[in-house]
Amino acid sequence: MITYEYPFNERIRTLLRLEDLFHKANGFLQRDGSQEHHVVLLTLFEILDVAGRADLKMDLIQELERQRQSLLSYRNNPDISEDALSGALYEIEQASAALLGMTGKIGQHLRDNDWLMSIKSRASIPGGVCEFDLPSYHYWRHQDPGVRRDALVAWLQPMLPLRDALTIVLRLLRASGRPEHHIAVGGAFQLMLGGSSSQMVRISLKMHDPYIPEISANKYALNIRFIRPDSDHRPRHCDNDVEFDMLFCNL
């Protein structure tokens, strides 16, 4: 299956963007190439920009505490595994403690590094990080892969409590509903939500179905228009009936 997620508010949009950026940074960090490590650094700058748009730390701490209180209500429930419950509570408590241990603004250690900020400012210019623009960065990119990786890990490490907390919140969010099967007649689907409090919708299709959902939604209505790419990957309106699974998520 291939799943498309559509957030209903800016808070969830921010968490999804950060999840994607942390995933990309970790993936390229495992490789040894200079180009891959360049991508990691640029991704760190993106994380810095996205995380600075809101008071994410307190928002995540409050959400984790709300989930902790909710889980505590299941104590001594014979239908709930005590080991699983204790493990989930421990994970939430550890993530909350790590967030509380973060001092200052998220990513401030990057902002305080003049060398990194000089790279960030040049990186916003197309082709702006050539060796004649930033010879010191050119030198760094020619260091041993282990040296580069150690530096990248050191710059990423202070932001990992944010990653761990949002991973827990998004995992709980995705597990909060049950999928239902639907058919978009003629490639179009509409559902009235009546002021629903859902925070995200997930649309899943079979991996090889050549359909792409274009989703627009608010708390009152959900509209999905399916398109299909042509041989040049350009989107074209789909007139076929499309089967899909849909899951509304809410914490």
Side-chain angles (χ1 to χ4, degrees), residues 42 47 90 112 149-150 174 248:
L42 296 185
I47 292 172
Y90 177 78
D112 290 340
R149 185 177 293 107
D150 288 346
R174 289 171 175 134
F248 286 99

Side-chain angles (χ1 to χ4, degrees), residues 2-247:
I2 179 171
T3 299
Y4 299 84
E5 295 181 328
Y6 186 88
F8 288 173
N9 57 60
E10 190 60 32
R11 171 174 169 262
I12 302 302
R13 285 189 192 93
T14 298
L15 295 185
L16 290 174
R17 289 191 174 107
L18 285 171
E19 178 189 51
D20 182 70
L21 290 170
F22 277 115
H23 180 73
K24 181 167 71 171
N26 183 67
F28 282 104
L29 187 61
Q30 307 310 314
R31 305 180 188 180
D32 289 338
S34 171
Q35 294 289 357
E36 285 85 350
H37 288 174
H38 173 65
V39 172
V40 176
L41 188 57
L42 296 185
T43 304
L44 285 178
F45 295 151
E46 291 185 68
I47 292 172
L48 183 65
D49 289 339
V50 174
R53 294 176 185 173
D55 189 5
L56 281 178
K57 186 170 76 171
M58 287 309 302
D59 188 38
L60 285 169
I61 289 172
Q62 291 170 3
E63 184 59 49
L64 288 173
E65 177 59 22
R66 194 166 71 85
Q67 294 303 318
R68 190 181 76 86
Q69 292 297 332
S70 176
L71 289 176
L72 283 173
S73 67
Y74 291 105
R75 283 287 193 196
N76 302 318
N77 187 324
D79 297 326
I80 302 296
S81 166
E82 282 294 320
D83 288 343
L85 182 60
S86 296
L89 286 168
Y90 177 78
E91 184 182 26
I92 288 174
E93 289 163 0
Q94 289 294 106
S96 294
L99 280 176
L100 287 168
M102 295 177 71
T103 57
K105 192 174 181 180
I106 294 172
Q108 191 59 45
H109 66 291
L110 300 179
R111 296 185 184 89
D112 290 340
N113 188 316
D114 293 339
W115 182 68
L116 288 177
M117 289 301 97
S118 69
I119 299 170
K120 183 176 185 295
S121 64
R122 293 296 310 179
S124 63
I125 302 170
V129 291
C130 291
E131 67 251 34
F132 54 82
D133 292 307
L134 294 169
S136 63
Y137 184 50
H138 184 63
Y139 170 80
W140 181 83
R141 289 179 63 181
H142 280 77
Q143 298 304 293
D144 183 82
V147 172
R148 293 196 306 267
R149 185 177 293 107
D150 288 346
L152 291 167
V153 168
W155 296 327
L156 179 63
Q157 193 75 32
M159 294 189 287
L160 292 186
L162 180 67
R163 181 204 63 183
D164 296 341
L166 69 87
T167 297
I168 294 172
V169 170
L170 288 177
R171 184 174 69 235
L172 293 171
L173 179 65
R174 289 171 175 134
S176 64
R178 291 176 176 270
E180 295 183 354
H181 191 70
H182 294 277
I183 298 177
V185 178
F189 181 84
Q190 184 179 61
L191 182 67
M192 303 308 295
L193 302 179
S196 168
S197 59
S198 296
Q199 295 174 292
M200 183 173 71
V201 64
R202 307 184 82 212
I203 306 296
S204 298
L205 298 95
K206 293 179 181 177
M207 182 65 73
H208 299 296
D209 283 353
Y211 308 118
I212 303 167
E214 290 188 336
I215 306 167
S216 61
N218 53 39
K219 63 182 180 180
Y220 300 107
L222 168 74
N223 290 282
I224 304 174
R225 183 174 72 100
F226 284 92
I227 59 175
R228 59 185 306 165
D230 63 14
S231 58
D232 290 327
H233 305 287
R234 294 172 299 184
R236 293 288 185 263
H237 179 65
C238 169
D239 295 323
N240 302 49
D241 291 351
V242 180
E243 296 188 37
F244 64 98
D245 291 335
M246 181 165 62
L247 168 66

